[in-house]
Amino acid sequence: MDRGGYNQRRGGGNARGDGGGGRMRGRARGRNFSQPRRQPADSGGGRGTAGRGFYPQPPPPQWQPRQQNTISGGTSTATGSGTAPPSLVSPPSNPHPPSQKVVPVAGMGTIGTSSDSNETISPIQRPDAGGKLAVKTKTLQVNHFSVKFNPKSRIIHYNVDVSPQSPPQPGRPPRRISKTELSLIRDKLFLDRPELPLGMTAYDGEKNIFSMVSLPEEAFVVEVSKGEDERPTGFIVTLTLVNILEMSRLEDYIRGRALSIPRVILQGVDVVFKENPTKCTVPVGRCFYPMNPKFRETNLQPGVIAVGGFQHSLKPTRQGLSLCLDYSVLSFKKQMSVLDFLHEQITGFNLREFGRYRKHVENVLIGLKVHVTHRRTKQKYTVARLTGKDTRQINFPAVDAQGNPTGQLSLVGYFQNRYQIDIRYKDIPALDFGGNKTNYVPMELCVLVEGQRYPKEYLGSNAAKNLKDMCLPPPRVRQDAIQAMVNSRCGPCGGDIVGNFEMNVSNVMTTVTGRVLGPPKLKLSDPSGRTIHMALTPEKCQWNLVEKSMVEGKPVECWGILDFTLRSRCVFFDNRFISKLIEKYNKFGIIMKEPVWIEKTDMLKLGNYNQLSDLLEKINDAVSRKYRCRLQFLLCVMASKDPGYKCLKWIAETKVGIVTQCCLSGNANSAKDQYLTNLALKINAKIGGSNVELINRLPHFEGDGHVMFIGADVNHPASRDANSPSMAAVVATVNWPAANRYAARVCAQEHRTEKILNFGEVCLELVSCYERLNGAKPEKIVIFRDGVSESQFQMVLGEELQDLKRTFERANYSPTITLIVAQKRHQTRLFPSPAENEMTSATRGNVLPGTVVDTVIIHPFEFDFYLVSHHGSLGTSKPTHYHVLWDEHDFTSDKLQELIYDMCFTFARCTKPVSLVPPVYYADLAAYRGRQYYEAKIGMQSPYSATSSSSSPLASSVSSATSNSNDMDFYKLHSDLENIMFFI
């Protein structure tokens, strides 16, 4: 909810893969965009001879001039004359770069799609040896651990096919084999067969085995039993050679002798590093959580604990291959008996009054995995339902050894006769595990399986706060946790598997030198309207608005209040808040008149589409008729957080065209000075004002030409959601040189589609908006793309950027373009060295804002760097990783780093620099707003039929919309809002 405060939402995640080199200088006037430099596709490796020993860590790379963007492929070499090789280590054995012949393409051809479908355009190479600008330098430690490997070794990749030995019964589909069963089958096979060395192989749990030795390509029969008293099941396991991965190809890439990243090799090495933690921990997604013993544990609420673990990735860097490992926390259900779990989860639970709690019990238990205690078995059962009868009343047909019926047998008698167990709690239902045959077990004989995730959204407020505190340890605590996991027997380096693959991992964090950039000088105003120049210090890059004001404060002359607290059980809205807000505006020297409209209603309106839509339209029309002016914004006061907030935003921003500012009545009534200031900042930005600007023009763009900054992001549905659309958002600056006001476009697209559809058309529409407001089109465009991994760089370059270029060309428009990816989903963390750790109230042991690292831990030859642009006041600062894919502006490292850092001071809703460059931050907010539109529409499906007449045009239109989640009419912004910052 936009309650006036600043909430820095950007957070952690996972890093994936890396890209490969190439560069285009300047505007590339010498050749068409559709005629990129190309080279043969990567051949994919072959058989080789294993070697011995470890390759030593390479010395620091030597700088070479950057190359053009190229279409890069394999490792072939040529004595090219015009471009310098991407020399990264002192001097490589082959001094020549990979071949880069030009393949002409007629007309407006496609990037990365020619006669060879494997040819792809590569990100640009680094333009220099790194930045030099700094007000101070700091020695830092990074959670990267150097990995040494034998470049002469090879990893053999096999496909694993597992099928049941007995065919399925007629009419039934083949039985699905779970990942747990697959791991048991693989372990049993390798333990039984001496020619299959378990310690020399790594398994991904599905279809792939990577081995350091040759394995027989044949079919094996494996019998596996899930328990000592269970009949073994037979499986046929077939091994087939897929590829031989030569580690020399990875060495060539790191040393710059090849521009195409050997992803298949990195994937194989990644499986090797996951082999040990997969066996020793509970894997959840990309993370691993040790359970026996637990690494770190905190009780969150009855039956729920938080457990510390780790996530890791492998990255080719300038120091060689690096293992990047970070600390992670997740909430789990405790391993305990089912009955104890019910007592802890359900308040007042009483077995003697089970009927009163049956619905609660079903909600808590259905879907949980349990072990049984009456048999020796590791099998996991999923609770499908509760039995309809109590345990003492359950009977089932008994059969003899030949399968002939012998009468009825009670469940209680069965456990007494078969297992000599006297069931204690007979007057409660048993658990039904579902399946094709009867499978009932009394609750007292069931124990929760360890490592079952507990969704954080189900936690109480105190438990959620405790989980957040554990997830955000201070830098020194996080650093110690990372170091402990690297040394742990459960970690990726534990056991013998990594060493068996002729690799060795340093247990010492990488040391780098971080440069601290100086903050820009800011432009504010005083209450009389005079310009104030403000200089900040590197240690305290924050400012306040005491006796100051926004650069351009928009007068508030026509605004209203929609009070949802009528008949509320919570805090009623105090009208004295109005005078306090007006007083705050007066202190800023900005005119704010009394609200022209005050409407009181109740929170139930938020849950009814038709009533809320009618109410907003009534207010909007009444103000227009009575005051002959447009409502600047509507302050919406809510008694509590409510799902109807999404519906309010959806209706106001797509149907009615009203800017809304929401707040909670409790916060409004307290009216603290900082809260009022934050509220005023958001309102001023939403109605077209300017809160803060830079005194000087943005670095690298000091000339007279117009420049536009574009941010693009895609918001995907939750991992458990298999149907909802993804939401794409593109934002762009509409003013220059301040470059701090944005227009936005939001659209829905296919489920989990990362590519932004019609990216060129959306950007051209934003360019047209810029032209209408400024009388000229931007001559230069800088695009910041969020949310893509290294494996998706080719999609961004070859599809999105190509679409943009083609669209601009059709419109006879040819600006220069730079394309940069901003990544927060990675594990890299920067820690001040113990000798230089400056613990202050501002940094709390974190690195200083403005800290940039562009050596050692960066890509071997592409143009990337890490920047911490914000204050690390909570937890451990995570840098943003910026990776330049395309550049027609000849950026140097210094100029680009300074540009991005300066832009981080222009974020509209706070008075400090933010962690992510504003175009991306705003695109993220806009895409999330699109997600709220969709959820509001889905949430309103049921009430339509109950609260609306079928003859109502609105009801019928909404009803039809719910049948098509991607209907653009329900995500298209109202024309009055699409060119203002409604989304902040």
Side-chain angles (χ1 to χ4, degrees):
M1 181 176 293
D2 50 347
R3 300 185 298 275
Y6 163 61
N7 178 22
Q8 189 163 306
R9 319 176 42 245
R10 306 298 304 186
N14 298 311
R16 314 175 186 92
D18 273 292
R23 180 176 180 85
M24 176 177 182
R25 286 185 67 89
R27 295 193 60 173
R29 292 185 176 88
R31 64 181 178 92
N32 191 286
F33 181 86
S34 65
Q35 296 174 331
R37 296 182 183 273
R38 300 177 183 266
Q39 69 182 60
D42 197 353
S43 60
R47 296 182 184 269
T49 305
R52 292 289 181 264
F54 295 116
Y55 183 73
Q57 178 176 315
Q62 304 295 317
W63 172 73
Q64 294 289 343
R66 59 180 166 187
Q67 294 185 336
Q68 293 179 324
N69 279 87
T70 63
I71 297 293
S72 67
T75 60
S76 61
T77 60
T79 58
S81 58
T83 49
S87 178
L88 302 167
V89 292
S90 62
S93 57
N94 183 352
H96 302 299
S99 62
Q100 298 180 359
K101 64 178 180 179
V102 178
V103 178
V105 181
M108 197 61 196
T110 58
I111 301 175
T113 55
S114 67
S115 58
D116 186 346
S117 61
N118 292 324
E119 292 176 352
T120 53
I121 188 169
S122 298
I124 65 168
Q125 295 190 18
R126 190 173 306 281
D128 47 39
K132 303 296 182 184
L133 286 179
V135 294
K136 60 176 67 178
T137 59
K138 295 284 184 179
T139 301
L140 308 175
Q141 292 180 314
V142 189
N143 59 334
H144 284 216
F145 299 87
S146 176
V147 179
K148 298 178 182 179
F149 61 89
N150 178 7
K152 297 181 180 180
S153 66
R154 64 179 188 172
I155 298 175
I156 310 174
H157 179 194
Y158 292 91
N159 178 73
V160 186
D161 181 72
V162 181
S163 59
Q165 188 176 20
S166 301
Q169 296 182 5
R172 289 188 178 180
R175 186 172 76 86
R176 178 182 175 274
I177 305 174
S178 68
K179 292 188 71 171
T180 301
E181 286 181 295
L182 288 171
S183 294
L184 289 173
I185 293 166
R186 177 258 188 161
D187 290 348
K188 182 70 163 55
L189 170 64
F190 278 62
L191 289 173
D192 289 348
R193 300 275 184 163
E195 69 271 27
L196 302 175
L198 184 64
M200 301 294 286
T201 60
Y203 180 42
D204 72 348
E206 293 181 343
K207 300 286 290 183
N208 302 285
I209 282 182
F210 297 89
S211 175
M212 277 298 286
V213 296
S214 296
L215 305 179
E217 295 183 70
E218 57 184 88
F220 302 88
V221 176
V222 184
E223 291 191 341
V224 176
S225 175
K226 295 180 180 178
E228 294 183 9
D229 59 346
E230 291 192 29
R231 182 182 302 171
T233 303
F235 297 92
I236 299 174
V237 181
T238 305
L239 299 180
T240 307
L241 177 67
V242 174
N243 198 1
I244 296 180
L245 310 179
E246 304 286 351
M247 295 299 287
S248 60
R249 293 181 57 231
L250 178 58
E251 175 70 8
D252 288 342
Y253 180 75
I254 291 173
R255 290 174 63 84
R257 295 192 291 260
L259 297 183
S260 177
I261 185 169
R263 293 196 185 279
V264 290
I265 297 177
L266 282 174
Q267 290 164 0
V269 175
D270 183 61
V271 172
V272 172
F273 274 84
K274 287 179 178 176
E275 175 74 9
N276 185 68
T278 298
K279 290 182 175 180
C280 301
T281 69
V282 172
V284 179
R286 296 173 180 269
C287 301
F288 298 89
Y289 299 91
M291 293 292 178
N292 295 306
K294 295 179 179 65
F295 174 55
R296 293 193 176 179
E297 178 182 357
T298 298
N299 287 315
L300 297 178
Q301 64 188 36
V304 182
I305 58 175
V307 177
F310 63 92
Q311 54 185 325
H312 68 275
S313 62
L314 290 162
K315 300 181 72 66
T317 68
R318 293 184 78 168
Q319 72 166 343
L321 189 63
S322 288
L323 172 71
C324 178
L325 185 144
D326 195 17
Y327 171 68
S328 178
V329 176
L330 202 61
S331 52
F332 292 92
K333 301 175 182 72
K334 282 184 179 178
Q335 185 181 35
M336 57 173 56
S337 73
V338 165
L339 292 179
D340 287 344
F341 184 70
L342 292 177
H343 280 97
E344 293 211 3
Q345 283 287 294
I346 302 174
T347 303
F349 179 71
N350 188 340
L351 281 172
R352 295 173 182 171
E353 301 176 358
F354 190 92
R356 288 179 53 195
Y357 301 97
R358 182 182 177 100
K359 191 64 178 175
H360 293 289
V361 172
E362 288 176 339
N363 291 338
V364 168
L365 290 185
I366 290 177
L368 286 186
K369 291 182 172 60
V370 298
H371 290 304
V372 296
T373 60
H374 61 281
R375 293 166 42 213
R376 291 184 176 181
T377 177
K378 296 179 180 179
Q379 186 168 356
K380 301 173 184 178
Y381 299 91
T382 301
V383 179
R385 62 189 70 87
L386 303 184
T387 56
K389 298 180 180 179
D390 289 344
T391 301
R392 71 165 67 248
Q393 300 170 337
I394 297 174
N395 297 298
F396 56 91
V399 295
D400 58 20
Q402 286 72 39
N404 301 314
T406 60
Q408 291 287 312
L409 183 64
S410 72
L411 187 66
V412 173
Y414 171 79
F415 279 93
Q416 177 65 57
N417 297 333
R418 178 73 182 272
Y419 299 105
Q420 291 74 53
I421 295 175
D422 184 16
I423 302 303
R424 181 179 177 187
Y425 300 105
K426 303 179 180 69
D427 297 317
I428 63 173
L431 298 182
D432 182 355
F433 296 147
N436 297 323
K437 57 183 180 180
T438 301
N439 201 349
Y440 302 149
V441 178
M443 290 191 196
E444 63 198 79
L445 302 181
C446 297
V447 176
L448 265 64
V449 171
E450 190 172 47
Q452 295 186 77
R453 183 177 181 179
Y454 190 91
K456 63 180 180 181
E457 55 266 28
Y458 298 161
L459 294 171
S461 57
N462 289 334
K465 181 182 180 301
N466 292 335
L467 177 64
K468 182 178 179 180
D469 291 342
M470 190 173 175
C471 289
L472 298 171
R476 187 57 59 201
V477 175
R478 180 180 288 272
Q479 189 174 6
D480 291 343
I482 291 171
Q483 196 66 61
M485 293 312 303
V486 167
N487 296 327
S488 169
R489 62 176 180 83
C490 296
C493 309
D496 300 324
I497 186 70
V498 171
N500 290 345
F501 277 78
E502 299 187 20
M503 291 182 283
N504 184 30
V505 184
S506 170
N507 62 358
V508 178
M509 284 192 178
T510 298
T511 300
V512 300
T513 298
R515 294 178 292 109
V516 181
L517 305 180
K521 291 183 179 180
L522 305 180
K523 182 192 298 184
L524 297 170
S525 295
D526 65 11
S528 66
R530 291 178 300 183
T531 299
I532 296 176
H533 291 188
M534 176 170 288
L536 305 174
T537 63
E539 292 78 15
K540 189 177 182 182
C541 294
Q542 303 183 54
W543 63 99
N544 60 56
L545 295 180
V546 177
E547 299 182 355
K548 304 179 189 69
S549 184
M550 300 84 158
V551 173
E552 181 188 354
K554 284 286 185 180
V556 181
E557 298 175 333
C558 185
W559 67 292
I561 295 177
L562 181 52
D563 179 8
F564 287 97
T565 65
L566 186 66
R567 293 188 293 273
S568 171
R569 297 179 181 178
C570 301
V571 183
F572 290 96
F573 176 59
D574 188 343
N575 283 332
R576 287 178 293 182
F577 167 78
I578 300 173
S579 60
K580 292 177 181 178
L581 182 60
I582 293 175
E583 181 183 356
K584 169 57 69 175
Y585 262 80
N586 289 336
K587 288 182 179 179
F588 287 146
I590 305 172
I591 296 173
M592 186 179 206
K593 296 183 178 180
E594 293 287 334
V596 299
W597 193 274
I598 298 179
E599 183 89 18
K600 291 184 179 291
T601 186
D602 56 65
M603 295 289 288
L604 293 177
K605 285 281 199 305
L606 282 171
N608 188 301
Y609 178 93
N610 288 329
Q611 292 182 18
L612 183 57
S613 182
D614 291 344
L615 178 60
L616 291 174
E617 287 188 326
K618 181 195 80 171
I619 294 172
N620 196 42
D621 293 343
V623 171
S624 296
R625 287 195 308 269
K626 184 174 182 180
Y627 297 99
R628 307 284 186 195
C629 67
R630 176 186 168 196
L631 196 65
Q632 288 176 282
F633 76 94
L634 187 65
L635 184 71
C636 300
V637 185
M638 300 178 181
S640 59
K641 294 182 179 181
D642 190 275
Y645 165 86
K646 302 171 184 177
C647 192
L648 172 69
K649 293 293 185 181
W650 177 37
I651 296 171
E653 293 166 2
T654 64
K655 184 176 187 293
V656 184
I658 297 179
V659 173
T660 56
Q661 175 59 54
C662 298
C663 63
L664 296 176
S665 54
N667 294 335
N669 292 344
S670 63
K672 295 180 180 179
D673 185 73
Q674 185 61 51
Y675 180 79
L676 292 172
T677 298
N678 291 342
L679 202 62
L681 285 170
K682 295 185 72 176
I683 292 171
N684 190 56
K686 287 183 177 184
I687 64 176
S690 178
N691 292 343
V692 63
E693 298 176 7
L694 305 180
I695 291 175
N696 300 317
R697 288 202 175 193
L698 287 166
H700 199 68
F701 296 119
E702 293 86 356
D704 296 330
H706 286 255
V707 182
M708 171 185 273
F709 295 93
I710 292 176
D713 188 24
V714 179
N715 180 287
H716 297 295
S719 58
R720 295 183 292 274
D721 185 340
N723 301 308
S724 299
S726 294
M727 294 293 169
V730 182
V731 303
T733 53
V734 293
N735 63 330
W736 178 256
N740 64 346
R741 293 208 307 269
Y742 290 75
R745 300 293 183 269
V746 180
C747 61
Q749 54 189 43
E750 291 184 11
H751 175 75
R752 303 203 72 80
T753 299
E754 183 59 46
K755 175 188 173 183
I756 298 177
L757 306 181
N758 302 315
F759 183 61
E761 292 295 336
V762 175
C763 291
L764 185 61
E765 183 181 338
L766 290 167
V767 167
S768 299
C769 170
Y770 185 102
E771 185 180 20
R772 289 194 300 271
L773 295 173
N774 299 279
K777 291 181 179 179
E779 300 168 16
K780 303 173 183 179
I781 293 178
V782 179
I783 303 169
F784 291 95
R785 181 64 160 92
D786 186 27
V788 293
S789 64
E790 283 85 347
S791 63
Q792 295 168 318
F793 285 178
Q794 300 299 339
M795 178 273 295
V796 175
L797 277 168
E799 298 181 48
E800 290 183 352
L801 182 60
Q802 174 189 241
D803 181 45
L804 179 72
K805 287 274 190 175
R806 283 178 163 178
T807 304
F808 283 177
E809 184 178 83
R810 286 195 298 267
N812 294 318
Y813 175 50
S814 55
T816 50
I817 295 174
T818 292
L819 173 60
I820 304 165
V821 170
Q823 297 173 312
K824 290 291 282 188
R825 293 182 176 272
H826 61 83
Q827 290 97 36
T828 299
R829 301 278 185 158
L830 309 178
F831 303 97
S833 66
E836 297 189 17
N837 190 357
E838 300 176 4
M839 176 66 75
T840 67
S841 58
T843 63
R844 299 185 183 274
N846 277 299
V847 298
L848 291 172
T851 298
V852 63
V853 175
D854 59 0
T855 60
V856 186
I857 61 169
I858 54 173
H859 191 276
F861 46 82
E862 292 176 7
F863 190 4
D864 70 323
F865 56 90
Y866 293 90
L867 173 64
V868 176
S869 52
H870 64 294
H871 276 276
S873 57
L874 185 64
T876 307
S877 297
K878 172 178 276 193
T880 300
H881 185 211
Y882 295 97
H883 203 128
V884 186
L885 302 189
W886 187 269
D887 181 27
E888 298 175 7
H889 296 126
D890 287 328
F891 273 110
T892 64
S893 294
D894 278 328
K895 285 296 184 181
L896 182 58
Q897 292 160 11
E898 188 182 13
L899 169 71
I900 292 175
Y901 186 46
D902 286 2
M903 290 184 70
C904 290
F905 285 78
T906 65
F907 191 72
R909 68 183 194 186
C910 63
T911 55
K912 55 186 176 181
V914 289
S915 64
L916 191 60
V917 67
V920 172
Y921 209 137
Y922 290 141
D924 176 79
L925 293 176
Y928 181 65
R929 183 60 56 84
R931 173 68 51 207
Q932 291 176 317
Y933 295 163
Y934 172 78
E935 292 174 353
K937 181 163 68 90
I938 295 302
M940 291 294 105
Q941 282 193 40
S942 299
Y944 295 149
S945 57
T947 62
S948 308
S949 169
S950 60
S951 61
S952 166
L954 176 62
S956 61
S957 65
V958 171
S959 178
S960 64
T962 58
S963 64
N964 181 8
S965 62
N966 293 345
D967 191 331
M968 284 304 302
D969 289 340
F970 286 84
Y971 305 105
K972 183 173 176 57
L973 299 171
H974 192 279
S975 58
D976 290 342
L977 271 67
E978 60 183 4
N979 297 329
I980 63 175
M981 298 174 67
F982 68 92
F983 48 83
I984 67 170

